[in-house]
Amino acid sequence: GYLRTIAPMFAQFFILTPNGDTIILRDYRGENLKGSAEIFYQHIKIAKGDASPFFNVEGLHFAFTKQNGLYFVLTSKQNLSPSLSIELLTSLGKLFKDYCGILNEESIRKNFVLIYEILDESLDFGYPQSTSTEQLKMYVQEEPVLVDESTLSSFEKLMWMNSKKITSKASNKSIIQDAGAKNEIFVDLFESLTLLFNANGSILKLEINGTLQMKSFLRGNPEIIVGFNEYITLGRGVKNLGDINFHESLTVQEFSERELVISLFPPDGQFTALNYRMCPEDLQPPFRVIPYIDFPVPNSYYRIDFTVKIRGHFPKSVTALNTQIRFNVPNSTESVSFEYPNKEHAVEYNTSDKLVVWSLNSFVGQTEEVLLAKINVSEVPFDPISIKKEIGPVSLVFEMPMFNCSKIQ
């Protein structure tokens, strides 16, 4: 006998808004899967943001990703391959952005004919064919409708403001251009910083995961050379650049500690040139979080004051966006009230999860913010001081345009 492998097929692809409105729906198999979008959205609402990217409802398999606030969903009656499904959904999002210029609800609504044409060329009867922007250019004929700048999010708009650097404004355009368009390529560096502190403020874990992303509008696919600054060292150096993954179009023979140079023949549209991981030992964290616990009523442990102070150690010219500080309060908490000087920020308390979320829309460098949480508890353990262990840990997430911690350029 022999083993025959059957490529997985997808029944449907659809895009939903955060409110559950279906703006794109392509049925590839005609399997009469009515109401699948409603089933998906009801499952997401019940999960309250904690839904698995893969789930099954009455024999129908779902796989989804959330991109720019929109749900990209695949369905199938067969068991889905997780890696293939996520890769396909991510690649489709990049395709739509390459052709529409901007990936948001407004651009998809205005370019729905173009989106359907891309979907028909990318999948045939539910089987993936190609998600290469370069290959699909000769088959996709519909012209894109460009979206006005006013429909962008606040984060995207702020990325446009610094005219001294290459920003995302120029790259937010379609690869379908007039013959007189500029011959250019745009480069973006994205980094994700993971930091873990102990109670004394010492760093327990530090890791930077970076992505060098490019969007090419070059005609004829010429060779380009990219050089890096001295903040990269290979092997076990102080500024260690650990795991590196290169795009297939890159030539890396000259990429060494002496010659930090890569060459490539960039494909059309957006692509990831390389991914890297580094663990620098001399990194100055962009934020410092200082928590403090106090019992304001003498000889009583039923009232707890928890103060969280956050300081920005990055330049004044840089603004952190969508900053959130989260921490848990004791399980016996009856009520929580808050005091914070800056009323432009918002604080939410989830009673079921005993979770406090402090949201700061913008945070300017070299400044600090303070939050005081007044916690009232109904029960005190046998060892009253141990109730301190039920508070926290404190976590911080943020976005910071035009700034990277590794100083790679």
Side-chain angles (χ1 to χ4, degrees):
Y2 63 92
L3 177 65
R4 184 176 69 174
T5 302
I6 301 177
M9 59 184 179
F10 301 98
Q12 294 175 320
F13 169 82
F14 51 85
I15 302 177
L16 268 63
T17 67
N19 298 325
D21 299 330
T22 304
I23 53 179
I24 295 292
L25 173 59
R26 171 58 77 207
D27 189 342
Y28 289 101
R29 308 287 301 177
E31 295 177 344
N32 196 25
L33 303 177
K34 293 183 179 180
S36 56
E38 289 76 11
I39 294 172
F40 167 82
Y41 188 68
Q42 288 299 324
H43 181 88
I44 294 297
K45 285 184 64 178
I46 293 173
K48 296 181 180 180
D50 296 325
S52 167
F54 308 97
F55 59 90
N56 181 300
V57 178
E58 298 180 357
L60 183 61
H61 298 270
F62 291 86
F64 79 96
T65 60
K66 195 172 184 181
Q67 305 181 42
N68 287 21
L70 303 174
Y71 295 103
F72 286 60
V73 189
L74 288 168
T75 67
S76 177
K77 288 187 174 180
Q78 299 179 349
N79 194 16
L80 294 172
S81 167
S83 57
L84 176 63
S85 302
I86 294 298
E87 183 177 0
L88 179 59
L89 289 169
T90 304
S91 299
L92 287 173
K94 291 180 180 179
L95 264 179
F96 300 156
K97 188 176 188 300
D98 283 344
Y99 280 89
C100 300
I102 298 170
L103 184 63
N104 61 13
E105 181 180 347
E106 183 70 17
S107 66
I108 290 177
R109 288 187 183 276
K110 288 187 175 181
N111 290 280
F112 72 95
V113 177
L114 174 61
I115 297 296
Y116 280 117
E117 188 174 3
I118 294 173
L119 290 173
D120 289 340
E121 297 295 343
S122 301
L123 291 93
D124 184 14
F125 201 56
Y127 292 95
Q129 301 299 308
S130 174
T131 55
S132 169
T133 303
E134 194 168 6
Q135 292 179 7
L136 293 179
K137 278 183 71 174
M138 63 181 70
Y139 303 111
V140 177
Q141 305 299 323
E142 184 70 23
E143 293 290 331
V145 179
L146 300 182
V147 174
D148 187 77
E149 170 187 339
S150 60
T151 63
L152 295 179
S153 66
S154 59
F155 178 77
E156 291 173 312
K157 289 178 180 178
L158 194 64
M159 291 286 288
W160 294 14
M161 293 173 60
N162 192 340
S163 59
K164 296 181 181 180
K165 301 180 181 179
I166 298 178
T167 63
S168 296
K169 177 178 181 179
S171 62
N172 281 335
K173 60 183 181 180
S174 173
I175 61 167
I176 308 299
Q177 303 183 75
D178 299 331
K182 291 183 179 181
N183 200 29
E184 54 194 356
I185 185 170
F186 298 94
V187 180
D188 284 314
L189 185 67
F190 299 97
E191 289 187 343
S192 173
L193 173 66
T194 302
L195 269 171
L196 179 63
F197 297 93
N198 63 12
N200 298 324
S202 301
I203 297 177
L204 300 178
K205 178 183 177 182
L206 192 157
E207 184 177 279
I208 297 175
N209 291 280
T211 297
L212 181 65
Q213 196 173 86
M214 298 184 178
K215 190 168 185 179
S216 175
F217 299 94
L218 300 175
R219 292 183 291 273
N221 294 90
E223 180 182 16
I224 65 171
I225 297 175
V226 180
F228 296 89
N229 62 3
E230 71 279 3
Y231 278 94
I232 291 182
T233 59
L234 305 179
R236 298 184 179 275
V238 175
K239 299 180 178 65
N240 177 25
L241 185 61
D243 302 328
I244 313 175
N245 296 317
F246 295 97
H247 188 268
E248 58 187 10
S249 66
L250 269 67
T251 303
V252 296
Q253 283 85 354
E254 298 181 11
F255 191 74
S256 64
E257 288 197 34
R258 298 183 62 184
E259 297 289 338
L260 297 174
V261 173
I262 58 176
S263 62
L264 70 155
F265 295 89
D268 290 339
Q270 182 175 298
F271 66 98
T272 299
L274 63 88
N275 296 309
Y276 60 87
R277 180 182 61 85
M278 62 189 307
C279 304
E281 298 178 0
D282 58 347
L283 175 70
Q284 168 76 4
F287 284 102
R288 179 71 184 273
V289 179
I290 306 172
Y292 179 72
I293 299 176
D294 184 32
F295 298 95
V297 180
N299 301 319
S300 174
Y301 298 95
Y302 289 90
R303 163 71 185 278
I304 307 170
D305 282 359
F306 182 53
T307 304
V308 180
K309 181 182 293 185
I310 176 173
R311 293 175 179 170
H313 291 296
F314 48 94
K316 284 186 177 181
S317 58
V318 178
T319 301
L321 302 178
N322 301 327
T323 305
Q324 278 194 348
I325 296 91
R326 297 168 175 254
F327 59 89
N328 291 95
V329 295
N331 292 327
S332 59
T333 298
E334 280 190 334
S335 63
V336 184
S337 60
F338 304 98
E339 292 183 4
Y340 48 100
N342 194 336
K343 299 304 179 182
E344 294 182 359
H345 305 323
V347 182
E348 297 180 1
Y349 172 54
N350 188 321
T351 55
S352 59
D353 297 332
K354 304 298 181 183
L355 177 67
V356 175
V357 180
W358 180 22
S359 301
L360 300 83
N361 292 330
S362 62
F363 194 108
V364 180
Q366 302 299 316
T367 61
E368 69 176 32
E369 298 286 349
V370 179
L371 171 70
L372 171 61
K374 299 180 178 179
I375 306 168
N376 296 302
V377 297
S378 58
E379 299 178 6
V380 176
F382 179 76
D383 180 11
I385 301 301
S386 66
I387 201 171
K388 291 183 176 182
K389 299 179 180 179
E390 297 186 36
I391 302 177
V394 180
S395 65
L396 168 67
V397 295
F398 60 92
E399 297 173 347
M400 198 175 296
M402 310 309 297
F403 181 82
N404 65 316
C405 296
S406 68
K407 300 182 181 179
I408 292 177
Q409 295 181 355

